[in-house]
Amino acid sequence: YIRNKGLFNRKQFSQWGEDTEIRKFFKDTDKGIYLDAGCFHPLMFSNTALLYKKGWSGINIDMNPTSIDLFNIARPNDTNICTAISDEEKDFKMYYDGPFSSVNTIDEDFYKMSQSVYFKNKKILTVKTKTINQVIKIAKIENYIDFLNIDVEGFDFKILKQINLNQIN
């Protein structure tokens, strides 16, 4: 799935060119740390692939085991964690569109809103979530993240509001 896409030599990886703007913003920073929650794929639609290619490393989080397997192959220098993230640790229904879907979610409202386009072969699984602070602790981030990317299909704000900016820059 990675090799056939021939993605490693691209100038842009993200879906809408966001990564080229991110690269411009960090043009003078050769090494940094990113945290990518809802990372989906190490190359396709990735906002952090250009940073990785530049020498950065980071933490990639996705609840889809196939996604994390691909990250472990394509980005072995990163910390790749398979988990769902929420504002509390508990069991959630996971609306699973498939192993190569970018819209798997634990947000029922997001699922209902997008089921007319996606989720044709949906499965409902149960996943235990972690908080972003638990993931940061697992990844051993001391106190600094250069770039934060959150794309978790509906729970984005729940994750963002957990981050204590007095502890992590």
Side-chain angles (χ1 to χ4, degrees):
Y1 186 66
I2 294 171
R3 189 184 74 198
N4 291 342
K5 292 288 183 180
L7 293 174
F8 272 112
N9 294 321
R10 294 179 60 174
K11 293 180 180 177
Q12 173 185 322
F13 294 95
S14 65
Q15 191 170 11
W16 308 109
E18 304 97 307
D19 59 342
T20 57
E21 295 303 314
I22 294 164
R23 182 180 54 196
K24 286 179 196 172
F25 184 84
F26 290 111
K27 69 179 186 247
D28 297 326
T29 308
D30 291 331
K31 295 207 182 278
I33 296 174
Y34 49 80
L35 190 147
D36 193 349
C39 55
F40 170 58
H41 192 278
L43 303 169
M44 186 169 60
F45 302 152
S46 176
N47 291 337
T48 58
L50 283 179
L51 295 174
Y52 182 84
K53 196 173 170 182
K54 185 176 180 176
W56 286 42
S57 62
I59 298 91
N60 303 297
I61 308 154
D62 204 283
M63 65 183 168
N64 183 348
T66 303
S67 293
I68 296 305
D69 288 345
L70 293 172
F71 271 89
N72 286 331
I73 293 165
R75 296 211 206 160
N77 296 330
D78 283 353
T79 300
N80 305 306
I81 301 171
C82 185
T83 191
I85 300 185
S86 180
D87 53 348
E88 56 187 323
E89 185 178 6
K90 73 175 203 174
D91 290 337
F92 273 89
K93 288 181 182 177
M94 174 183 173
Y95 301 93
Y96 187 73
D97 189 42
F100 299 109
S101 174
S102 62
V103 296
N104 298 322
T105 187
I106 59 173
D107 185 327
E108 186 175 11
D109 292 335
F110 178 86
Y111 161 70
K112 287 177 180 177
M113 180 183 70
S114 58
Q115 69 181 344
S116 65
V117 178
Y118 302 104
F119 300 100
K120 301 303 179 202
N121 298 307
K122 84 159 187 287
K123 291 181 190 175
I124 298 178
L125 309 169
T126 301
V127 295
K128 187 167 190 88
T129 61
K130 290 183 176 29
T131 66
I132 193 68
N133 292 318
Q134 288 173 308
V135 171
I136 288 170
K137 191 173 188 176
I138 290 167
K140 298 179 180 156
I141 295 173
E142 296 297 324
N143 59 1
Y144 201 84
I145 299 170
D146 294 288
F147 178 69
L148 175 65
N149 191 73
I150 301 174
D151 186 4
V152 293
E153 316 313 331
F155 271 39
D156 305 61
F157 185 64
K158 287 183 179 189
I159 293 171
L160 186 59
K161 69 182 182 179
Q162 292 176 61
I163 299 172
N164 183 343
L165 297 178
N166 292 321
Q167 293 177 346
I168 295 181
N169 288 330

